[in-house]
């Protein structure tokens, strides 16, 4: 099995996108060209925050560490991403750590975050197969 560490950048306010991406990526068994893929979640979900960080800087360092150990960073392109301080920090961290970013257009989204679009190595539509294929392609290229 080929293991891929994935960090999903998201806004806790818009957690439905994160939850659907997690369901697609981590709750199913995937294969690409007959090769089984195992995905490890490096994200920070709302129901399991980083408790040991006592300061904003410590929290940022802990999040950046999770990005550093990830192979691919996934970011929904929803316009709210342009206004999230933490998503911007996570995108900057991924770029600094040379981690490829997969932008995912949420279903029915009319506008995209220019911050995500500019940083993304690849953008895919809102379906599980496109997301998995995008992660796999970015991981192979990197």
């Amino acid at each position: 099995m080929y293991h891929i560490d994935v960090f999903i950048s998201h806004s806790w306010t818009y957690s439905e996108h994160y939850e659907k991406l997690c369901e697609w990526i981590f709750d199913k068994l995937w294969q690409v060209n007959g090769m089984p893929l195992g995905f490890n979640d490096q994200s920070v979900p709302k129901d399991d925050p980083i408790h040991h960080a006592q300061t904003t800087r410590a929290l940022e360092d802990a999040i950046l560490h999770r990005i550093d150990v990830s192979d691919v960073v996934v970011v929904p392109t929803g316009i709210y991403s342009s206004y999230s301080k933490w998503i911007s920090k996570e995108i900057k961290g991924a770029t600094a750590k040379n981690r490829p970013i997969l932008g995912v257009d949420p279903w029915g989204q009319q506008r995209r975050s220019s911050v995500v679009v500019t940083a993304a190595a690849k953008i895919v539509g809102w379906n599980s197969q496109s997301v998995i294929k995008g992660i796999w392609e970015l991981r192979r290229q990197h």
Side-chain angles (χ1 to χ4, degrees):
M1 179 174 289
Y2 196 89
H3 293 279
I4 302 172
D5 288 294
V6 177
F7 181 92
I8 302 174
S9 180
H10 62 287
S11 167
W12 284 356
T13 306
Y14 297 92
S15 62
E16 67 276 0
H17 293 154
Y18 168 76
E19 290 164 8
K20 181 53 81 174
L21 288 167
C22 283
E23 178 185 320
W24 287 343
I25 298 167
F26 306 115
D27 292 350
K28 296 182 181 180
L29 299 176
W30 290 99
Q31 287 190 8
V32 174
N33 298 330
M35 179 183 302
L37 302 178
F39 294 98
N40 302 314
D41 189 2
Q42 297 296 336
S43 310
V44 182
K46 189 176 189 175
D47 62 351
D48 188 18
I50 298 172
H51 295 288
H52 66 277
Q54 299 297 314
T55 65
T56 301
R57 181 63 195 174
L59 177 59
E60 185 174 348
D61 288 345
I63 291 170
L64 292 177
H65 172 72
R66 290 188 182 201
I67 290 169
D68 191 33
V69 299
S70 297
D71 298 304
V72 176
V73 174
V74 176
V75 186
T77 63
I79 197 66
Y80 58 84
S81 296
S82 294
Y83 304 106
S84 169
K85 171 180 81 170
W86 284 103
I87 291 175
S88 293
K89 287 181 182 213
E90 291 163 358
I91 289 171
K92 287 178 186 172
T95 302
K97 298 290 186 175
N98 200 28
R99 297 298 177 262
I101 296 172
L102 177 68
V104 182
D105 287 334
W107 182 257
Q109 188 74 44
Q110 297 298 317
R111 295 176 26 198
R112 288 177 163 174
S113 166
S114 61
V115 173
V116 178
V117 170
T118 300
K122 182 175 187 69
I123 297 177
V124 297
W126 190 252
N127 70 67
S128 60
Q129 301 234 349
S130 294
V131 171
I132 298 303
K133 184 178 178 190
I135 292 169
W136 176 244
E137 287 176 4
L138 291 177
R139 176 60 184 110
R140 280 191 24 229
Q141 292 171 5
H142 220 267

